[in-house]
Structure formats: C-alpha cells, structure tokens
Amino acid sequence: MAEVLSKTSLLPSWHHHQYHQNNQSSISVFPKSCNYNKSRSFSCSLKLSPEISSPSLSTTSDFHGKNIAFQATSITSSQPHASSAVNSQQSGRRIGKALKWWEKGNQPNMKEVVSAEDLVESLSNAGDKLVIVDFFSPGCGGCKALHPKICQLAEMTPDVQFLQVNYEEHKSMCYSLNVHVLPFFRFYRGAHGRLCSFSCTNATIKKFRDALAKHKPERCSLGPTKGLEEKELLALATNKDLSFTYTPKPTEDVPAKEEVIVAEETPPRLPLPSATSKSAQVVTAWR
C-alpha cells in the first residue's frame, strides 16, 4: 500500500508541471497512461517532451527504466553591465591615481634620472644636444613653485633634453657632484661638457631664461661628448653607496720641450778711477 501511495503522489506534480509549463519550466514530463490492475499495483508510463534541447542532464528514474531529462537553464544577471561597471571602476582607480607635483606637466623631453649610471649615459648619448640637469627635492617649496615654468620652457624647446634628479632619492650622488643648494641647474653640451651651473628660484627665473637663450642655438662641437668632468666621475666611482664603476682614461705622454738657455750679455763696465788720479785732481782743484 505504501508503494501505491508513493506512486499516486506523482499525480499532483504532473498537474503542477502543466500549470507552470508556460513559465519555461526546466522539466517537461507528460503522463501517457495510468493503469490500476487487479493486483492492486499502480503503474504509469511517462512521455518526454520533444522540446527538451541538448545539452541536457539525464538521470535514471524508477518508472519502468525510463529516463527523465532535465534541461540546463542559465541564470542571467538582472544587471547585464555589472561586470563592465566593475572593470570600469577598477580602471578608473588606476587612471585617477594622483600624480606627484614633480610629475605634473612633464614633457616628452623631460626624464627622471634613476641612478648615477643613468645620468652618465644620458649625458654621453646626448651628442651635440643641450642637456639641462635639474636637481630638486619633493619637500622644496622653491622647486615646487618653479616646476610649472620649467615645464613650459621644456615645451617651448623640444630639442633640449631635461634630466630631473630627485635629491631625496640620490643624496649620496648629489653629494659627490657637489650639489648642496636647491633648486640647482647644470647645463651640458657635446665636447664642451659643463657650460654653466647656478641656482635660481621663481623670482630669479630670468637667470635660467638667459642661460637657455645663450646656449640653445645649434652648434657643432669637435671631439667626443664629454659629459661629467673627470673628477666628478672619479667621485662617483669612489662612492661606496653607488654601484658605479669608472676606469680613468690613460693619459698620453707628452714629450718635454727642450729648454734653450740664452746667455744674457752683460753691459761693459767702465774702469774705476785709480787712487792716484783722484788725489791729483783734488790737489789740482785745491791749488
């Protein structure tokens, strides 16, 4: 009797399924026939709906070895653009990252130096191009006030290379280069090496403009690019805080010039008067 009740309990589920068939149910099962025989056993056969499409998930039921197919349904989000919104927010955080004041307004011809070797190579590879080394500090108020004008001048002179040296990150290197005041600038060009060096502020920007106008015109320098001076390179190489090596260039032996000593002619000396002649003159004058 318990088996009969378990079988008959499926009938309400069939009607419930037919009621929700229009609501896109994931299971389509229709009764074919139900028989109650004299042996008091209840048997049913099931007919599967042909509307079930693959891929489908099938399980084996106990209804005479028939298979019931369950249609795999996909759950769609009520917000189709949720993932794109999250990606845009993440990218917005990266794009909206606040720039530091010495990074604002930088031009393509402005480069921040990362090491002593980078500074030496940048000067050596510049050729005849004018290079301006800008020493600054993030905590320097004068450097911060002057930075926008330096960026404007860099935009007006794209053929000039600007190198930025952060004093706080390269204190030991600046000490070896004898930089002790900020903001500080040094001009380099070709075989001439260092042209000038000075410190200026927003109030004395004319000093920078005058130096730029003086050394900006194109010119050709004879010989290889000099860059830093020999004593500066040696100071960087002997600094234990820096990983910089430098081999001094061999000096050429210059033959010593032969000194020719010319004997100076001494003027002839006049003969000294003798004592007898003096006494004779004195006597003559007395007489």
Side-chain angles (χ1 to χ4, degrees):
M1 187 64 182
E3 181 180 1
V4 174
L5 292 176
S6 63
K7 300 292 183 178
T8 56
S9 63
L10 294 172
L11 291 175
S13 62
W14 293 335
H15 295 287
H16 179 75
H17 172 73
Q18 291 177 354
Y19 177 78
H20 293 282
Q21 183 178 3
N22 295 331
N23 294 331
Q24 298 180 354
S25 176
S26 60
I27 304 174
S28 299
V29 180
F30 297 90
K32 183 177 181 181
S33 61
C34 296
N35 298 323
Y36 182 77
N37 51 23
K38 295 180 180 180
S39 62
R40 295 182 181 181
S41 62
F42 191 83
S43 64
C44 294
S45 63
L46 301 178
K47 179 179 69 175
L48 300 180
S49 173
E51 297 177 358
I52 298 176
S53 59
S54 60
S56 61
L57 184 66
S58 61
T59 60
T60 304
S61 67
D62 57 348
F63 299 110
H64 301 283
K66 301 295 183 178
N67 293 332
I68 299 176
F70 297 90
Q71 184 177 3
T73 58
S74 60
I75 301 174
T76 58
S77 175
S78 60
Q79 297 179 355
H81 301 289
S83 60
S84 61
V86 173
N87 294 332
S88 63
Q89 290 179 1
Q90 293 177 354
S91 61
R93 293 191 189 99
R94 292 192 297 267
I95 297 174
K97 182 181 178 181
L99 296 176
K100 300 175 182 178
W101 67 260
W102 60 90
E103 299 174 345
K104 295 180 180 179
N106 283 354
Q107 301 301 317
N109 56 336
M110 300 179 70
K111 171 189 173 183
E112 186 172 353
V113 175
V114 297
S115 63
E117 185 177 0
D118 185 22
L119 175 62
V120 175
E121 290 182 355
S122 299
L123 291 173
S124 301
N125 299 332
D128 290 336
K129 182 184 296 186
L130 178 63
V131 182
I132 301 175
V133 183
D134 177 10
F135 296 89
F136 72 96
S137 175
C140 175
C143 302
K144 183 177 181 180
L146 187 62
H147 180 71
K149 292 188 177 181
I150 299 298
C151 293
Q152 293 178 358
L153 294 173
E155 184 179 6
M156 296 170 57
T157 56
D159 54 338
V160 178
Q161 179 67 51
F162 287 77
L163 300 179
Q164 298 174 305
V165 179
N166 191 331
Y167 181 83
E168 297 299 330
E169 295 181 358
H170 306 286
K171 286 184 179 180
S172 186
M173 182 179 70
C174 294
Y175 180 81
S176 298
L177 297 177
N178 294 324
V179 177
H180 306 290
V181 60
L182 298 174
F184 193 76
F185 301 92
R186 280 182 177 169
F187 286 56
Y188 295 86
R189 189 165 201 165
H192 299 284
R194 187 198 302 182
L195 301 175
C196 62
S197 58
F198 56 88
S199 176
C200 72
T201 60
N202 200 7
T204 58
I205 188 63
K206 186 177 181 302
K207 185 187 300 185
F208 187 94
R209 295 179 185 273
D210 294 343
L212 183 61
K214 178 181 179 181
H215 302 291
K216 181 183 174 297
E218 296 182 359
R219 65 192 70 178
C220 295
S221 56
L222 301 177
T225 305
K226 185 177 180 181
L228 296 180
E229 297 180 356
E230 184 78 10
K231 60 180 181 180
E232 293 175 334
L233 294 172
L234 292 174
L236 293 176
T238 56
N239 192 335
K240 297 181 180 180
D241 297 334
L242 305 177
S243 58
F244 177 76
T245 57
Y246 173 72
T247 303
K249 297 179 181 179
T251 57
E252 297 180 357
D253 295 334
V254 180
K257 296 181 179 180
E258 296 181 357
E259 296 181 359
V260 179
I261 301 175
V262 178
E264 296 182 357
E265 296 181 358
T266 56
R269 295 181 180 180
L270 296 176
L272 295 177
S274 59
T276 55
S277 61
K278 285 184 178 181
S279 60
Q281 291 179 358
V282 170
V283 173
T284 303
W286 179 78
R287 286 182 181 179

